[in-house]
């Protein structure tokens, strides 16, 4: 087994991902759990981390680098923010060290947009940006990072100029479970209805002001004309994503297209959505992006 160099952790609100990395940047071992910030705040951040390190038998001298919600005000240690316009390189120099721990544990800062007209924050996505674009990226990039709270970020010459957060994933969860529309999607199986999804994306993109009306159409269409629960679910998803894309694509799109940082089902859905609108995307896996970003930060902090 190659010698471990550091441990990389992506600590979200509801998820925990850890990788043991060697000096060549290769993953030696991995751990995943639902012990995100909300669970860790109750169990204890140090205890949660140590349980995973012990499971991998990570040597005591190996340092740990964390990004995400562990650095939030309600997290383990507040890591602060880099303010926009935010050079991605600044993320590497402003990591907060966790006090009172024998092991060297650092938490990367987030990015804040202190604009009274469009206040916004991100934690974890800045590390994905770093990994997706690198430090020496020239020109303009428009990056879409889907999730519970999707981020759209405009980066120029390695500096985050502006970003916007969309509660698309969280809204889908609430609407599909806690409203009258839960009746329309009840019993939906894993079958994909690409046609319903793309039609909903296009309708919401073309008329985002009618999104609330289009959402209800998932139920009324089912009652009046039939249709499967899966079709209704894809209509809800497509409507919310289409409305997000209407805002995200409202400005100039770089000639290279949209950099899409996503994995799994989200990556599939957003690629279908962009395809429905004939928008070019450059896909990058979310896990790959965050590991790259953590690797760059680890190299800068511990100078390997």
């Amino acid at each position: 087994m190659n010698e471990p160099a550091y441990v990389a952790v992506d600590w979200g609100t509801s998820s925990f991902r850890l990788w043991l990395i060697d000096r060549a940047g290769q993953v030696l071992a991995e751990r995943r759990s639902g012990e995100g910030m909300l669970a860790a705040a109750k169990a204890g951040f140090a205890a949660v981390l140590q349980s995973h390190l012990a499971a991998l038998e990570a040597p005591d001298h190996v340092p740990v680098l964390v990004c995400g919600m562990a650095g939030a005000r309600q997290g383990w240690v507040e890591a602060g923010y880099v303010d926009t316009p935010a050079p991605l390189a600044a993320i590497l120099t402003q990591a907060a060290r966790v006090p009172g721990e024998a092991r060297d544990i650092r938490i990367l800062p987030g990015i804040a947009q202190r604009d009274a007209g469009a206040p916004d924050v991100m934690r974890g996505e800045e590390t994905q940006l770093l990994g997706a674009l690198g430090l020496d990226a020239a020109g303009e990039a428009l990056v879409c990072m889907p999730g519970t709270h999707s981020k759209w970020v405009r980066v120029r010459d390695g500096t985050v100029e502006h970003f916007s957060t969309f509660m698309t994933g969280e809204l889908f969860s609430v609407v599909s479970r806690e409203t009258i529309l839960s009746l329309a999607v009840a019993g939906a199986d894993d079958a994909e209805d690409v046609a319903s999804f793309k039609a909903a994306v296009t309708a919401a993109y073309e008329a985002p002001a009618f999104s609330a009306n289009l959402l209800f159409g998932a139920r009324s269409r089912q009652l009046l004309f039939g249709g499967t629960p899966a079709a209704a679910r894809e209509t809800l998803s497509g409507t919310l994503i289409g409305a997000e894309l209407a805002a995200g694509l409202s400005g100039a799109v770089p000639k290279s297209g949209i950099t899409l940082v996503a994995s799994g089902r989200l990556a599939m859905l957003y690629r279908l959505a962009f395809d429905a609108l004939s928008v070019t995307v450059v896909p990058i896996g979310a896990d790959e992006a965050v590991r790259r970003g953590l690797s760059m930060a680890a190299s800068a902090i511990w100078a390997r």
Side-chain angles (χ1 to χ4, degrees), residues 240-280:
L240 291 168
I241 292 175
E244 176 190 321
L245 266 57
L249 296 172
S250 59
V253 176
K255 292 181 179 180
S256 59
I258 305 297
T259 301
L260 176 64
V261 182
S263 296
R265 178 171 170 76
L266 278 179
M268 181 271 292
L269 288 175
Y270 275 73
R271 291 188 72 171
L272 286 174
F274 283 116
D275 181 66
L277 303 178
S278 300
V279 175
T280 301

Side-chain angles (χ1 to χ4, degrees), residues 1-284:
M1 181 177 179
N2 295 330
E3 180 183 356
Y6 66 95
V7 173
V9 179
D10 182 8
W11 213 324
T13 302
S14 58
S15 64
F16 175 94
R17 296 180 293 178
L18 178 150
W19 300 275
L20 185 63
I21 309 293
D22 70 9
R23 293 185 179 277
Q26 299 301 308
V27 176
L28 301 176
E30 178 180 344
R31 298 276 295 180
R32 292 173 183 259
S33 79
E35 297 164 298
M37 179 191 71
L38 298 178
K42 298 177 181 177
F45 287 90
V48 170
L49 177 61
Q50 183 54 40
S51 69
H52 289 281
L53 294 175
L56 297 182
E57 298 182 348
D60 292 341
H61 69 275
V62 174
V64 177
L65 185 60
V66 181
C67 71
M69 294 303 292
R73 186 173 301 171
Q74 300 80 14
W76 192 357
V77 172
E78 187 171 7
Y81 294 104
V82 178
D83 290 350
T84 55
L88 290 174
I91 296 167
L92 307 180
T93 61
Q94 296 190 32
R97 183 162 185 172
V98 177
E101 296 291 328
R103 189 188 298 268
D104 188 354
I105 303 172
R106 313 283 181 103
I107 304 179
L108 294 177
I111 295 179
Q113 188 166 274
R114 300 183 194 274
D115 178 344
D120 218 325
V121 294
M122 68 167 73
R123 281 199 183 278
E125 294 90 358
E126 76 293 322
T127 308
Q128 289 184 330
L129 280 171
L130 183 61
L133 302 179
L135 291 172
D136 302 320
E140 186 177 24
L142 182 57
V143 185
C144 172
M145 294 183 283
T148 303
H149 300 150
S150 298
K151 306 287 184 183
W152 283 70
V153 190
R154 195 168 293 275
V155 182
R156 186 183 299 276
D157 296 330
T159 295
V160 174
E161 293 188 334
H162 184 274
F163 65 97
S164 301
T165 301
F166 299 87
M167 295 177 62
T168 306
E170 188 166 6
L171 286 174
F172 175 79
S173 178
V174 171
V175 169
S176 63
R177 296 179 184 181
E178 306 295 337
T179 72
I180 190 68
L181 299 181
S182 64
L183 300 177
V185 303
D189 55 25
D190 294 333
E192 296 173 0
D193 190 327
V194 173
S196 293
F197 176 78
K198 283 191 168 184
V201 167
T202 302
Y205 178 79
E206 293 177 348
F210 280 82
S211 293
N213 170 256
L214 294 170
L215 285 172
F216 189 74
R219 175 162 171 76
S220 55
R221 185 177 298 107
Q222 191 180 69
L223 290 172
L224 298 176
F225 303 109
T228 66
R233 179 195 63 210
E234 301 305 310
T235 297
L236 298 187
S237 178
T239 299
L240 291 168
I241 292 175
E244 176 190 321
L245 266 57
L249 296 172
S250 59
V253 176
K255 292 181 179 180
S256 59
I258 305 297
T259 301
L260 176 64
V261 182
S263 296
R265 178 171 170 76
L266 278 179
M268 181 271 292
L269 288 175
Y270 275 73
R271 291 188 72 171
L272 286 174
F274 283 116
D275 181 66
L277 303 178
S278 300
V279 175
T280 301
V281 298
V282 179
I284 299 174

